[in-house]
Amino acid sequence: VISPSALAYLEVLRRGIDGGRLTNETAARRIAKPDLPGIIRSLPRALTTRGPGTLPPFFAAAFGDRRGRDTAVLAHLNPAAGIDALLTDMARATGIPLALGMSQIADGTARRAGVHPPDGVIDSDRFFA
């Protein structure tokens, strides 16, 4: 989901760090304010690198192990379902999942002692339904 030119510039910075020519701090500053020599060095790769194509505007990909098997899960919002308003309103985009998760905490479904990632406590089938 990154532009070819940004990817190429990051590659120049990575090579600079790996080669000992840049510190992490210098590279971080050059991300905020790209330098002309780095931009010039990134041009050949930027011209030959493919872009991300036409990805959905809001999507997620997760990879892991499920019951001993490598698993990939991909999800995206369906614009045909009237999702366009959600994608232009970040308060709504973040508030709805929060409210859905909190409803499980409020009714006692998602109560478990300790600190856990959301997917370790929230009933995902109920959440996505």
Side-chain angles (χ1 to χ4, degrees):
V1 297
I2 191 169
S3 72
S5 58
L7 179 65
Y9 187 73
L10 290 174
E11 176 66 18
V12 165
L13 295 178
R14 183 194 63 80
R15 285 194 319 261
I17 293 169
D18 290 350
R21 293 179 304 280
L22 290 176
T23 65
N24 290 342
E25 293 78 15
T26 303
R29 281 194 296 275
R30 289 185 182 173
I31 288 173
K33 187 176 178 187
D35 67 315
L36 186 58
I39 293 169
I40 292 168
R41 282 194 308 278
S42 71
L43 284 177
R45 181 168 180 154
L47 295 173
T48 59
T49 300
R50 288 183 47 192
T54 55
L55 294 170
F58 218 58
F59 72 96
F63 303 91
D65 180 285
R66 182 173 182 170
R67 296 185 184 114
R69 297 179 62 185
D70 287 339
T71 304
V73 178
L74 308 171
H76 67 92
L77 297 175
N78 182 358
I83 261 352
D84 292 338
L86 177 65
L87 298 175
T88 59
D89 182 351
M90 285 311 294
R92 185 179 294 171
T94 57
I96 291 172
L98 175 64
L100 293 171
M102 288 304 295
S103 70
Q104 290 188 33
I105 291 171
D107 72 11
T109 305
R111 296 222 175 186
R112 188 170 158 200
V115 178
H116 307 279
D119 57 347
V121 179
I122 301 294
D123 177 356
S124 60
D125 291 334
R126 178 177 165 197
F127 180 88
F128 287 107

